[in-house]
């Protein structure tokens, strides 16, 4: 993958994250706040916790930082896959949002 492809895929992921957060906030009547600043999305929850998603261009990775731990994702077979757990970004991200919005 080259840098242009990486940015295209990362932009698509960031758009997907924003749509997910809007839908989740509406469905669960929760006041989620998120801000996109360049290659970083910071999600703030009413309980004060945060989730941060950012790109790591030199590594061609997307990183996810939750209250519990951090994850690094490589683009494999049309999915962002965690390089430690082999789970998809979508699964880890959605579980993290649910967990952090509940506390």
């Amino acid at each position: 993958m080259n840098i242009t492809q990486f940015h295209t895929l990362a932009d698509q992921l960031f758009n997907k994250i924003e749509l997910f957060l809007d839908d989740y906030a509406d469905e669960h009547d929760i006041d989620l706040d998120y801000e996109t600043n360049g290659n970083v999305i910071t999600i703030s929850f009413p309980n004060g916790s945060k989730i941060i998603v950012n790109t790591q261009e030199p590594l061609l990775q997307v990183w996810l930082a939750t209250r519990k731990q951090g994850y690094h994702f490589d683009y494999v077979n049309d999915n962002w896959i965690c390089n430690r757990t082999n789970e998809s970004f979508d699964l880890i991200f959605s579980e993290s949002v649910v967990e952090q919005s509940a506390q």
Side-chain angles (χ1 to χ4, degrees):
M1 164 181 352
N2 64 39
I3 294 298
T4 302
Q5 293 168 320
F6 172 74
H7 284 291
T8 298
L9 293 168
D11 288 347
Q12 290 171 355
L13 179 63
F14 275 38
N15 289 336
K16 187 176 180 181
I17 289 169
E18 290 176 0
L19 290 172
F20 174 86
L21 292 171
D22 290 340
D23 290 345
Y24 185 85
D26 288 344
E27 288 176 23
H28 299 278
D29 194 29
I30 185 170
D31 185 26
L32 292 178
D33 184 35
Y34 64 89
E35 179 180 341
T36 303
N37 188 2
N39 68 335
V40 179
I41 296 177
T42 303
I43 305 153
S44 301
F45 295 88
N47 60 17
S49 69
K50 294 185 185 303
I51 290 177
I52 298 172
V53 181
N54 67 300
T55 60
Q56 292 295 319
E57 184 179 289
L59 302 173
L60 301 177
Q61 291 182 329
V62 171
W63 289 7
L64 169 67
T66 69
R67 180 172 28 206
K68 283 182 140 178
Q69 72 183 56
Y71 304 88
H72 300 168
F73 296 87
D74 295 305
Y75 197 74
V76 180
N77 297 326
D78 298 326
N79 285 299
W80 289 101
I81 302 295
C82 179
N83 65 4
R84 284 187 313 226
T85 67
N86 290 319
E87 293 178 304
S88 72
F89 178 91
D90 293 346
L91 176 67
I92 294 173
F93 179 74
S94 62
E95 287 178 348
S96 298
V97 169
V98 169
E99 181 180 316
Q100 288 188 220
S101 65
Q103 298 178 10

